[in-house]
Amino acid sequence: MKEKKFLTVAPFECAWRKDLKFREAGRGCVAFEAFAHNDVTLVFRENVGSQHYHYKRDNSPHYTVILGSHRNKRLKIEVDGKTVVDVAGVGLCCSSEFKSYWISICDGLISIGKGRYPFQNLVFQWLDSNPNCSVRYVGLSSWDKHVGYRNVNVLPITHNHISLWKHVESGELEGEEEGEDELNGECMDYEKWGLGNFLENWELSDMVFIFDTEERHVPAHKAILVASGNFPFSLSEDVVELPAVTYPVLHAFLQYIYTGQTKIPESQLGPLRALGLHFEVMSLVKQCEQNIERFKLNKKLFDSGKSVELSYPSTRTHYCATFPLGLPVNIQKLRQLLITGKYSDVNIYIEGHGLVAQAHKVILSLWSVPFAKMFTNGMSETMSSEVSLRDVSPEAFKAMLEFMYSGELDMEATVVAGALLLQLLFLADQFGVTLLHQECCKTLLECLSEGWSSPSGRGSYNEFFYYAQDSVCSILPVVASIPSCKLIEETCERKVAMHFDYCTTASIDFVLLDETTFSNIIQHPDLTVTSEEKVINAILMWGMKAKDLYGWEVVDELIINSFPEHLFGERLQSVHDLLPFVRFPLLPYALLKKLEKSSISRHIHNFDSLVKEAISYVENGARLENDQNIRFQHRRSSYKELQYICDGDSNGVLYFAGTSYGEHQWVNPVLSKRITVTASSPPSRYTDPKVLVSRTYQGTSFTGPRMEDGHNCAWWAVDLGQEHQLMCNFYTLRQDGSRAFMRSWNLQGSLDGKSWTNLRVHENDQTVCKPGQFASWPIIGPNALLPFRFFRVIMTGQTTDASNLWNFCICFLELYGYFH
């Protein structure tokens, strides 16, 4: 009766209701069903129109979307009466039955789709370059023929599409109160969703048991039964006759399979055991036998008037009891059903990739509320054996199916491709697979939290760790779009803040961050930079949506022949708001004077004021009244700059460690245990760790070779200590008195002393060619902005001395950069 109630709009008229209104002006979604030969027309205005209103005569600002224009051949969008979109779209309307559609508007982005689930099955999108952000009311209109509308729902635009699906139910057009109550009850059921919901339920069943002499019927699901025992179904057989079995026994049998537990009178244990043995549900057989034996030994244990409880003895630990864990279901058999497609009742297609899986509706519905609704609420997929998806990664979807059929996430296979985990997280949110969503979040948090360099011994985890390191700015927009990933979003923001130099130098991805996220990073208390100049550069590049990496000098040149409004566009105000978070007084005085004379200062008043304030602060000896302002204070997590001046100087990190970080006169830091030096060969007279950081020349100092990963190598390594890290941008070493000159070696950094990152690679480098010679090299590129605790110089090729091919002969090492 509900479905028969609908609203008919006569030709050239429009139906308006005050409750068909966006909660937020310019942002909303309307989901509806329509029945028409052509011209299903929706109008979006700032105010309610009249019954005889027509969009062709409307002079006020509005959007009009027409499905099935030109006799159901085209899709049209009009802005203020002018056509801006006119594209082919045959068969958009249907005159034989009601069809479901949705239209969303978000800041001028108009999206149109088919089906009852908003943001699924997108048909078309168009972005208004001059958006009308004031439209709120929705009008249901027509052209030259009657149009029927029903189940019209106006929904808010949120990032959590699942919450939208929960609102799209068959409420009557005249009021939603009753429909909402029904929906809330349904959502309560889904919170306790499990295989038990399908016990003896005709929904999605594909076979029946016919039992006792009256030939009564009980439905079941082949995939569940086959994975639980030995049920000799043929592909076409859908009936199993059990004339000698009573309903209580069959019910207990199926209840045990579907829920992992059941109750049955003691007198029925024998028939239940026989049924379990017949279909080889051996865990049930064992439970029955154990209870029968206990009853034989002590009849007082049982009261014949009460039932015996049987439970599946699950020994596996998991984050919660969920399908198929805790049930007498063989996971290997389930996986085999997915692999072979046997007994499949739904083929899943992904646009551009064809058939990707032959699955079972009952399994998908167990995990996913959207799938359950799709297969049971009368949509086309309810009767069809095909589901078509678009804008979905086939690899991620297959990984989600694997989880649905096993209850576990194969982490090695999932993270090996790096971005796949993110796609899987988004897919789990999209389809409401809560436990998979939690597993993905947990893994992503581990990847972001265990360190900026990948940990060792984690197999293909390493690939995702490096992916997370290099792509954290790409990860942020994805997790920010999922409200339940707030913790991951905050972790990502902190990671970017702590490694700000690297994230704004290694990639331009950070300019894609939205204003809120970028502002959170700039204001983060853990923001760590080597220079406030890097913060200026990042703000200017972000404001310009730069396509290449550059500094403020390039912006200074561009602004000479332009205007800030042109360079920064809609982000100009954001740039004004972010500049006060730069700590200008910490910049060198010479740089401040240079900035004062720049074109940026002349064109951006806010920038000029901050620079002048900083200059005044420096010139007054840092004693202004407002020196408690945070702009005048060093950042809590700043680095000490230790820069190379000349070979053998006293400006390096290892020398600094020898002074207890500036507290007293120099002492060999190995002896004072400030640092630890190790070598590829055991300590000896000529392999002495303390020699490498001493200030005295040693004529003979070398480390011998060892085998690593099947290759010869020799190395010296330095551990700065648990609380210290260095962004290394220069290093110096010194040859000992031998003529065994190295030609191929690398300088590497690590956070854990096991997984190493190359900072500089030397191949056939002939710089060192004399005994006792110093040599120094800069570290360039993004890796110079990564902090490490461990450093090593590793020789990867033979020396020039045929008698000492693998002796690494150096007697001094020093590192420079930003020390924390």
Side-chain angles (χ1 to χ4, degrees):
M1 291 177 63
K2 263 189 183 180
E3 291 183 353
K4 290 180 181 178
K5 294 184 179 180
F6 60 91
L7 173 70
T8 300
V9 178
F12 309 108
E13 291 191 358
C14 189
W16 297 94
R17 279 180 37 202
K18 291 186 178 180
D19 60 330
L20 293 184
K21 173 185 175 182
F22 293 165
R23 293 183 187 176
E24 182 181 2
R27 294 184 177 186
C29 178
V30 57
F32 61 96
E33 295 178 25
F35 171 98
H37 290 277
N38 53 265
D39 293 272
V40 173
T41 306
L42 275 79
V43 184
F44 302 87
R45 299 180 80 239
E46 298 177 21
N47 301 294
V48 174
S50 65
Q51 176 185 353
H52 300 290
Y53 161 93
H54 203 271
Y55 60 93
K56 290 292 186 183
R57 300 188 297 271
D58 190 355
N59 295 322
S60 62
H62 67 282
Y63 289 122
T64 305
V65 178
I66 307 170
L67 307 177
S69 179
H70 293 76
R71 302 301 174 196
N72 201 24
K73 293 181 180 179
R74 305 190 70 79
L75 167 67
K76 289 182 66 176
I77 299 177
E78 295 184 0
V79 177
D80 303 339
K82 296 181 180 179
T83 300
V84 293
V85 172
D86 188 351
V87 296
V90 178
L92 289 172
C93 301
C94 181
S95 59
S96 59
E97 61 179 338
F98 276 93
K99 289 290 186 181
S100 300
Y101 309 89
W102 58 267
I103 300 172
S104 73
I105 297 179
C106 183
D107 299 335
L109 177 64
I110 299 179
S111 305
I112 303 165
K114 285 187 174 183
R116 298 185 64 191
Y117 301 136
F119 308 103
Q120 292 288 295
N121 299 320
L122 181 69
V123 173
F124 187 80
Q125 274 189 327
W126 175 75
L127 179 62
D128 188 355
S129 59
N130 186 24
N132 181 349
C133 296
S134 300
V135 295
R136 299 197 72 167
Y137 290 91
V138 182
L140 310 175
S141 188
S142 63
W143 182 234
D144 60 344
K145 287 182 169 52
H146 289 78
V147 178
Y149 294 93
R150 74 178 185 189
N151 298 333
V152 184
N153 292 273
V154 175
L155 314 168
I157 290 289
T158 72
H159 292 298
N160 188 354
H161 300 161
I162 303 297
S163 67
L164 290 180
W165 296 334
K166 291 180 180 178
H167 288 80
V168 184
E169 291 300 316
S170 53
E172 298 178 34
L173 188 66
E174 295 303 317
E176 299 179 5
E177 290 80 2
E178 182 181 350
E180 288 180 358
D181 291 341
E182 291 178 1
L183 176 64
N184 291 336
E186 184 176 344
C187 292
M188 289 291 289
D189 292 340
Y190 277 125
E191 291 177 3
K192 302 177 181 178
W193 198 245
L195 188 55
N197 293 77
F198 292 92
L199 174 63
E200 299 182 22
N201 191 325
W202 288 99
E203 293 280 17
L204 309 181
S205 63
D206 54 1
M207 61 84 59
V208 294
F209 288 101
I210 300 178
F211 63 96
D212 74 22
T213 55
E214 297 181 9
E215 297 189 352
R216 289 188 287 173
H217 295 62
V218 169
H221 306 82
K222 289 181 182 179
I224 304 301
L225 298 179
V226 168
S228 304
N230 183 15
F231 291 80
F233 296 120
S234 66
L235 291 176
S236 58
E237 184 181 7
D238 55 10
V239 176
V240 174
E241 297 185 5
L242 301 170
V245 176
T246 62
Y247 173 72
V249 172
L250 180 59
H251 172 75
F253 175 74
L254 292 176
Q255 188 178 43
Y256 181 83
I257 291 175
Y258 278 67
T259 68
Q261 56 189 5
T262 189
K263 288 184 179 181
I264 193 168
E266 175 271 328
S267 59
Q268 297 294 323
L269 282 173
L272 180 59
R273 173 191 175 278
L275 186 59
L277 193 60
H278 177 71
F279 290 113
E280 299 182 18
V281 183
M282 301 313 297
S283 62
L284 176 60
V285 172
K286 187 175 180 180
Q287 288 276 301
C288 291
E289 290 176 345
Q290 287 175 347
N291 280 278
I292 291 172
E293 188 64 27
R294 290 174 62 198
F295 182 74
K296 288 180 180 178
L297 293 174
N298 190 349
K299 293 186 178 182
K300 293 182 180 180
L301 289 175
F302 294 95
D303 182 344
S304 58
K306 293 186 178 180
S307 296
V308 180
E309 293 187 4
L310 306 176
S311 297
Y312 175 66
S314 176
T315 59
R316 303 186 62 178
T317 58
H318 203 259
Y319 39 80
C320 75
T322 183
F323 179 83
L325 307 178
L327 300 176
V329 175
N330 187 303
I331 293 177
Q332 295 303 321
K333 287 185 177 180
L334 268 182
R335 285 175 168 166
Q336 196 62 28
L337 289 177
L338 177 62
I339 293 170
T340 62
K342 194 172 184 180
Y343 307 123
S344 165
D345 56 359
V346 58
N347 294 331
I348 300 175
Y349 297 84
I350 294 179
E351 185 177 282
H353 301 276
L355 178 67
V356 296
Q358 293 177 295
H360 306 81
K361 290 182 178 180
V362 66
I363 305 294
L364 303 188
S365 300
L366 276 172
W367 289 97
S368 168
V369 172
F371 272 128
K373 292 184 177 183
M374 187 185 299
F375 297 141
T376 60
N377 71 351
M379 295 179 63
S380 59
E381 289 84 1
T382 303
M383 304 303 296
S384 172
S385 61
E386 294 184 358
V387 171
S388 297
L389 305 174
R390 61 188 304 173
D391 300 326
V392 170
S393 160
E395 293 80 11
F397 191 84
K398 289 176 183 177
M400 183 174 75
L401 285 180
E402 178 66 25
F403 179 85
M404 288 176 162
Y405 278 74
S406 67
E408 296 177 331
L409 184 60
D410 184 352
M411 199 53 58
E412 290 294 317
T414 303
V415 305
V416 70
L420 180 61
L421 181 61
L422 275 182
Q423 296 169 348
L424 190 58
L425 170 64
F426 194 76
L427 206 58
D429 179 76
Q430 183 179 356
F431 286 99
V433 188
T434 305
L435 294 176
L436 176 59
H437 180 277
Q438 292 172 355
E439 286 290 283
C440 291
C441 287
K442 175 185 172 184
T443 302
L444 189 53
L445 275 174
E446 289 176 355
C447 292
L448 291 167
S449 301
E450 286 198 31
W452 198 240
S453 182
S454 67
S456 62
R458 302 295 294 274
S460 56
Y461 257 66
N462 287 352
E463 296 189 31
F464 185 76
F465 272 79
Y466 283 117
Y467 170 80
Q469 166 186 311
D470 292 331
S471 307
V472 65
C473 289
S474 301
I475 294 172
L476 256 172
V478 178
V479 297
S481 68
I482 305 174
S484 55
C485 291
K486 190 66 178 176
L487 178 58
I488 299 179
E489 180 184 0
E490 292 173 355
T491 303
C492 286
E493 288 177 355
R494 183 170 182 267
K495 281 295 178 183
V496 176
M498 293 178 65
H499 304 275
F500 191 81
D501 284 7
Y502 181 86
C503 291
T504 56
T505 304
S507 167
I508 200 68
D509 289 345
F510 74 93
V511 304
L512 302 177
L513 299 175
D514 60 60
E515 179 184 355
T516 301
T517 301
F518 188 68
S519 180
N520 289 343
I521 293 168
I522 294 295
Q523 299 179 62
H524 202 284
D526 291 329
L527 182 67
T528 304
V529 292
T530 55
S531 168
E532 294 298 316
E533 187 178 5
K534 299 286 181 63
V535 185
I536 297 174
N537 292 340
I539 291 174
L540 295 177
M541 281 190 286
W542 178 84
M544 293 177 60
K545 298 183 182 179
K547 292 181 171 55
D548 297 301
L549 293 163
Y550 44 72
W552 66 268
E553 298 93 337
V554 174
V555 181
D556 195 51
E557 294 177 5
L558 293 173
I559 209 169
I560 293 174
N561 299 314
S562 185
F563 297 97
E565 293 78 8
H566 176 71
L567 283 180
F568 300 106
E570 74 276 8
R571 288 186 174 180
L572 178 59
Q573 184 57 50
S574 299
V575 171
H576 280 291
D577 295 339
L578 291 171
L579 283 173
F581 297 106
V582 180
R583 303 189 181 185
F584 284 91
L586 304 184
L587 291 168
Y589 182 73
L591 179 57
L592 286 171
K593 297 298 288 183
K594 192 175 180 181
L595 291 172
E596 184 184 27
K597 298 176 182 178
S598 68
S599 299
I600 300 176
S601 287
R602 289 196 297 273
H603 286 80
I604 302 178
H605 175 72
N606 193 24
F607 187 92
D608 183 56
S609 298
L610 291 166
V611 171
K612 283 184 167 57
E613 178 189 49
I615 291 173
S616 178
Y617 180 81
V618 174
E619 290 177 344
N620 282 276
R623 288 292 183 270
L624 296 183
E625 292 181 0
N626 62 346
D627 62 0
Q628 294 303 310
N629 189 307
I630 196 170
R631 292 203 304 275
F632 301 91
Q633 300 173 16
H634 285 276
R635 296 187 186 275
R636 185 178 67 185
S637 53
S638 58
Y639 282 80
K640 181 175 180 60
E641 188 174 6
L642 298 169
Q643 295 301 337
Y644 169 84
I645 295 179
C646 64
D647 294 339
D649 62 23
S650 300
N651 298 312
V653 172
L654 305 184
Y655 183 90
F656 187 55
T659 66
S660 292
Y661 316 111
E663 294 296 324
H664 56 63
Q665 293 294 315
W666 182 87
V667 176
N668 190 301
V670 171
L671 294 176
S672 62
K673 298 184 179 180
R674 295 295 179 181
I675 66 171
T676 303
V677 176
T678 54
S680 54
S681 61
S684 67
R685 178 181 176 185
Y686 298 116
T687 306
D688 188 348
K690 64 179 179 293
V691 167
L692 198 69
V693 293
S694 72
R695 312 302 293 173
T696 306
Y697 171 70
Q698 185 81 9
T700 303
S701 173
F702 65 85
T703 180
R706 69 187 299 174
M707 293 292 291
E708 289 186 0
D709 297 327
H711 301 284
N712 262 333
C713 66
W715 49 259
W716 290 96
V718 177
D719 177 4
L720 298 179
Q722 187 173 1
E723 297 181 356
H724 300 107
Q725 293 181 338
L726 172 70
M727 294 182 189
C728 185
N729 60 20
F730 221 94
Y731 82 105
T732 298
L733 53 78
R734 189 178 190 183
Q735 177 77 16
D736 73 352
S738 72
R739 302 190 66 83
F741 306 128
M742 57 188 176
R743 290 293 177 259
S744 297
W745 75 97
N746 301 334
L747 175 68
Q748 298 178 326
S750 173
L751 279 176
D752 59 6
K754 298 175 182 178
S755 299
W756 295 91
T757 299
N758 285 332
L759 302 180
R760 185 174 179 110
V761 176
H762 300 262
E763 292 289 348
N764 194 27
D765 189 330
Q766 301 182 32
T767 303
V768 179
C769 56
K770 296 177 183 179
Q773 176 187 344
F774 278 103
S776 303
W777 296 269
I779 312 301
I780 58 176
N783 285 345
L785 299 171
L786 284 178
F788 295 107
R789 168 185 169 180
F790 299 88
F791 293 86
R792 73 174 179 180
V793 188
I794 178 170
M795 194 168 69
T796 57
Q798 297 176 347
T799 69
T800 58
D801 187 345
S803 62
N804 294 292
L805 290 175
W806 286 99
N807 280 357
F808 193 1
C809 303
I810 61 172
C811 62
F812 177 79
L813 177 67
E814 185 58 277
L815 305 169
Y816 301 87
Y818 295 96
F819 180 69
H820 175 56

